[in-house]
Amino acid sequence: MKRVFSGVKPTGHLTLGNYLGAMRRWAAVDQHQADALFCVVDLHALTVDHDPARVRRLSRQAATLLLASGLDPEKCTVFVQSHVDEHARLSYLLECVATDGEMRRMIQYKEKAVRERARGGSVRLSLLTYPVLMAADILAYGTDEVPVGDDQTQHVELARDLAVRFNQRYGHTFVVPRATAAGVAARVMNLQEPTSKMGKSDDVGPGIVYLLDEPDVVRRKVMRAVTDSGRDVVYDREARPGVANLLEILAACTGGNPEALSGVYESYGALKKDTAEAVVELLRPVQARHKELCADPGYVEGVLRDGAQKARGMARPTVDAAYRAIGLLPAPADTGAAAGAVLNAAR
């Protein structure tokens, strides 16, 4: 069975874009057709200025929403990145294989660094190197496929390059992964800025629909969505990005086709109304399940504990093999533990 790995970063509240672009597919397809791992990548949240308490809170919320979206711990592995040491262990080895030029060509680094400097902040080294950590997330598990949005494919390409380079220099150690796309609404755009991604790191704004938004809040945001000049409802991503975004969201929620749906509507108002109701109905079961899980925090903690234990068992052999291959001296056996095992066996 192929192995799939993907994750969500707890830098903000999860959005409709996270759900339509990734989480829904994970629950409906990937966990049933693959040996699948889904991770809250909390170490990645430390690459920019952050509030520690907020990161912890958002990490728990993200894990709960992954389960609320339909991920079944009996069918897949759900865990938190920092609970599995192998991610950080492997990241350093891959930094010793990656180059400075590769890191500085990463589009997201360029964009985030510009925003950080514009705010008067300093750019952390981890912001430059986090694509290597992302590669470690993927390669530690012998991942075959990484379901990502189109804005993350460059990072999967880096993971492929690092795997090939390591294998060539030090012997075959890693599976070379490939990115897979989610299809319609793989990249949901901001309702107020339809040429920009609906990103959770934006924190606030009327253009972002959060998974835990109340129905009336969802309706208000969609009804106030920016459209385009003209009155005709036409699906044209380049010329009519606002209308195209609404049509893609509606299509993703209802299983329709955005181009076909464009012929159904004669006004923007009717399109917005139907899109708003479709989003409300899509989120209703997720919100209901999230409420149930919040009432039983011990269940979520148990899932994350068991998931981390399982993930460690899967990652450790590959990471240990990478340590040997690159030339590191194996750690000596714990003689105390070994002696204890002998005594226990004798008893």
Side-chain angles (χ1 to χ4, degrees), residues 48-121:
V48 294
D49 190 33
H50 63 277
D51 173 23
R54 186 170 187 266
V55 171
R56 284 191 291 270
R57 185 171 65 252
L58 290 175
S59 296
R60 176 177 290 278
Q61 184 186 88
T64 306
L65 280 168
L66 287 177
L67 297 174
S69 70
L71 292 185
D72 183 350
E74 297 296 322
K75 293 184 173 66
C76 64
T77 306
V78 181
F79 66 104
V80 175
Q81 179 190 33
S82 63
H83 295 175
V84 180
D85 293 345
E86 277 64 31
H87 292 255
R89 288 180 62 207
L90 181 56
S91 182
Y92 181 73
L93 294 196
L94 296 180
E95 284 186 14
C96 296
V97 176
T99 67
D100 174 76
E102 284 176 314
M103 296 300 97
R104 295 188 185 280
R105 286 195 296 271
M106 292 289 113
I107 294 171
Q108 289 207 4
Y109 167 73
K110 292 180 181 179
E111 294 175 347
K112 291 180 179 179
V114 167
R115 289 199 298 268
E116 196 67 25
R117 292 190 182 103
R119 288 197 291 261

Side-chain angles (χ1 to χ4, degrees), residues 112-135:
K112 291 180 179 179
V114 167
R115 289 199 298 268
E116 196 67 25
R117 292 190 182 103
R119 288 197 291 261
S122 58
V123 179
R124 301 185 181 192
L125 179 62
S126 56
L127 185 62
L128 178 66
T129 60
Y130 90 92
V132 177
L133 176 57
M134 183 174 174

Side-chain angles (χ1 to χ4, degrees), residues 222-233:
V222 176
M223 292 304 295
R224 293 178 179 176
V226 168
T227 49
D228 311 290
S229 59
R231 295 184 176 182
D232 296 335
V233 178

Side-chain angles (χ1 to χ4, degrees), residues 181-202:
V184 173
R187 196 176 191 193
V188 178
M189 312 306 281
N190 189 297
L191 295 175
Q192 292 296 314
E193 300 176 26
T195 57
S196 300
K197 179 183 174 182
M198 185 184 286
K200 60 182 179 298
S201 299
D202 297 334

